[in-house]
Amino acid sequence: MLEEVERWLSTRSWSATDRPLHQILAAKQRTGRTVSVVLPALNEEETVGDIAAVIRHDLMRQVPLVDELVVVDSGSTDRTSEVAAAAGARVVHRDEILPRIPAVPGKGEVLWRSLLVTSGDIVCFVDADLRDFSSDFVSGIVGPLLTDPDIDLVKGMYDRPLGGATGQGGRVTELMARPVLNMHWPQLAGFVQPLGGEYAARRSLLEQLPFPVGYGVELGMLVDALHLVGLDALAQVDIGVRKHRHQDGQALGRMAAAIYRTAQLRLARGHLIRPSLTQFERGGDGFEPRTYSVDTEERPPMVEIAEYQARRAA
């Protein structure tokens, strides 16, 4: 490991307990910074309501840490929107945001568009499929941004159990993202969960970043933030255990392909020869090929979008 990374691990890796809630609230009051929490959601009616309810109760009613709670529904066919609204979140549908640019499927697309419908100085992203959710997830990763002006982005780190085994989750991280980061961006080798969906950043940083539209958004954001603000502006906080729905192996393959594509574009900014992935499923006549397109589109930094510029000027 690079000496720089060892130093970073000792100075930029914390536990959620390192910053008590009263300390975070005092910093928020002192700085006047506002906080938005965004939950990107697609067919998450079983979990999104519980997450929204915990945030609203613990961090909006009991203490004034979160100023805005927004669920961005990216085309759910279940009751995600109704459940989220009943739990006290403001629900916005992806296609209603920036309608002049047709939306494409993908998590990164939703996160990018969320910048147009939120106003917080600090934006915290939380996946909507978490189980046994604790508000420490939010306060833990928002805390350093409120207490330390030199921090621009904070990732959550946690254990990810799989099938009862501790630490067996995060398969795409271990098989794709971590090797790629260690080989090509070794300064980022200290991140425990580089692909984790729980992180927070200053709006002033997010609005300058391009957003891969799909699963590559987390890796792309880390790499681009490293180049834009440097390693010492990045941090991570231990928030315990993350329980969520796990994807099957083929879905993980598609995620890995999107992440590799994101890395490739940042290494060369060139053209993909074949932006697709063929996988195999056993059918009645043996193994049948299934070919999926790999996300090749990225959204530009939000600060370049006319509607966003107009909102800032208003």
Side-chain angles (χ1 to χ4, degrees), residues 149-172:
D150 295 326
I151 302 298
D152 287 325
L153 184 148
V154 180
K155 294 280 294 189
M157 57 176 169
Y158 31 68
D159 294 318
R160 295 183 67 183
L162 177 63
T166 301
Q168 296 302 306
R171 292 162 288 173
V172 176

Side-chain angles (χ1 to χ4, degrees), residues 126-251:
V126 176
D127 281 349
D129 65 344
L130 301 185
R131 300 182 184 279
D132 300 330
F133 176 78
S134 167
S135 58
D136 291 344
F137 275 40
V138 173
S139 58
I141 56 181
V142 165
L145 293 161
L146 288 169
T147 59
D148 190 335
D150 295 326
I151 302 298
D152 287 325
L153 184 148
V154 180
K155 294 280 294 189
M157 57 176 169
Y158 31 68
D159 294 318
R160 295 183 67 183
L162 177 63
T166 301
Q168 296 302 306
R171 292 162 288 173
V172 176
T173 291
E174 300 304 330
L175 296 175
M176 175 59 71
R178 199 177 309 285
V180 165
L181 290 175
N182 274 263
M183 287 187 289
H184 297 295
W185 295 280
Q187 286 177 293
L188 298 174
F191 277 94
V192 175
Q193 296 290 355
L195 301 185
E198 287 67 52
Y199 51 98
R202 299 191 191 280
R203 177 176 295 272
S204 57
L205 171 62
L206 293 172
E207 66 185 12
Q208 297 181 69
L209 299 177
F211 276 60
V213 298
Y215 284 117
V217 62
E218 275 86 20
L219 183 135
M221 188 177 295
L222 264 187
V223 171
D224 293 339
L226 173 68
H227 289 295
L228 194 62
V229 297
L231 182 60
D232 281 342
L234 313 180
Q236 60 184 350
V237 171
D238 187 346
I239 51 179
V241 179
R242 183 187 197 271
K243 299 178 182 178
H244 68 120
R245 183 185 67 252
H246 291 282
Q247 304 276 3
D248 63 35
Q250 295 216 335

